[in-house]
Amino acid sequence: MASRAWHLMAPTELGTCLGVDPGVWERLAVHWDDLAVDPYAAQAGTRRLRRYGQFLLSRSGEITTMPHDVFVQPHASNPLYVDVERRFEPLTEEFRAEPVVTALIRMLGEVAAGLDAAEEWTVKIHPFRVIAQADSAGQPTPEGRHKDGVTLVTSLLIGRENVTGGQSTLYDDETQIAAVTLAEPGTLLLNDDRATWHAVSAIHPLDASRPGHRDVLVTTLAAR
């Protein structure tokens, strides 16, 4: 991360860091069946489901749940939603209680500490499901290439069902520096948002007779 501003963690590497078994992602995936429609993505023609929550993470690893609030990205970071106050359904209590979520937040705090000597981090969590159908591609990033206005951005694959595409790309200004397709549950892509831009290509159903979807958990950390 320090030398090239991004890193891809394989499921075995992430599992070791978090102290979890490979079956944890299948168990966590049940929460993606309880997401709510993203009305803002729908305005751009994308079927996306999501929830949203935010936490405070101290340097010592203490996690505090913050009150549910609107989601606003800093000016000029996301061209599609500049200064828009977006309102999403909160994370469920069952999701917040998952031990692997707590472990992931703490691990990402250790990564972020290598990028910035902050005493406290604002952690924002977004479980996403993007749906693709024969007559409408799924757009994981309808805003295109963008930043999130934070220090660290991570995308954890939870699952893919009947889809192709969904390539994640990272850019240093105008130069592409990485292109990866998250294919196996538990694969984690991390990038320094201050030094990179990111985007994800459209997904399409492999079997056009039925819809497909791509489930990810996006977590961001910003120095507070």
Side-chain angles (χ1 to χ4, degrees):
M1 287 291 295
S3 63
R4 65 178 187 176
W6 71 278
H7 180 63
L8 183 67
M9 294 185 74
T12 52
E13 180 185 6
L14 180 60
T16 298
C17 289
L18 299 181
V20 297
D21 64 85
V24 70
W25 310 120
E26 184 176 354
R27 296 192 296 272
L28 188 64
V30 300
H31 297 286
W32 270 251
D33 292 329
D34 190 26
L35 302 183
V37 172
D38 178 345
Y40 307 95
Q43 293 171 3
T46 289
R47 291 188 63 198
R48 185 164 71 182
L49 309 177
R50 70 187 296 174
R51 287 184 181 271
Y52 164 63
Q54 55 181 341
F55 305 83
L56 286 181
L57 174 66
S58 72
R59 194 174 185 85
S60 63
E62 181 181 357
I63 300 172
T64 305
T65 301
M66 297 179 68
H68 191 62
D69 202 354
V70 296
F71 176 58
V72 182
Q73 289 180 285
H75 181 71
S77 64
N78 187 320
L80 190 58
Y81 303 113
V82 174
D83 295 332
V84 175
E85 293 188 350
R86 289 183 282 170
R87 300 178 184 274
F88 302 114
E89 292 297 315
L91 301 174
T92 64
E93 292 184 11
E94 293 78 10
F95 179 89
R96 292 199 306 269
E98 289 283 359
V100 67
V101 174
T102 300
L104 178 66
I105 291 174
R106 290 200 173 108
M107 188 207 78
L108 295 181
E110 294 178 7
V111 175
L115 303 175
D116 194 332
E119 290 299 319
E120 198 170 41
W121 298 93
T122 299
V123 182
K124 298 186 177 183
I125 290 187
H126 313 258
F128 285 106
R129 168 171 288 178
V130 175
I131 299 172
Q133 294 180 293
D135 60 351
S136 61
Q139 298 288 348
T141 54
E143 60 271 63
R145 190 186 308 181
H146 68 285
K147 290 176 175 282
D148 284 3
V150 297
T151 302
L152 177 67
V153 175
T154 71
S155 183
L156 171 64
L157 183 71
I158 301 299
R160 295 167 59 101
E161 173 66 29
N162 187 41
V163 292
T164 184
Q167 183 183 66
S168 299
T169 48
L170 298 174
Y171 302 84
D172 175 2
D173 293 325
E174 296 300 318
T175 303
Q176 181 177 298
I177 60 174
V180 298
T181 299
L182 307 182
E184 184 179 354
T187 306
L188 178 69
L189 177 63
L190 309 93
N191 63 284
D192 184 338
D193 191 57
R194 303 165 304 175
T196 60
W197 299 75
H198 60 275
V200 182
S201 67
I203 59 172
H204 302 269
L206 284 168
D207 178 356
S209 68
R210 56 190 179 92
H213 63 259
R214 176 179 182 267
D215 294 349
V216 299
L217 179 64
V218 172
T219 305
T220 67
L221 282 79
R224 183 178 169 88

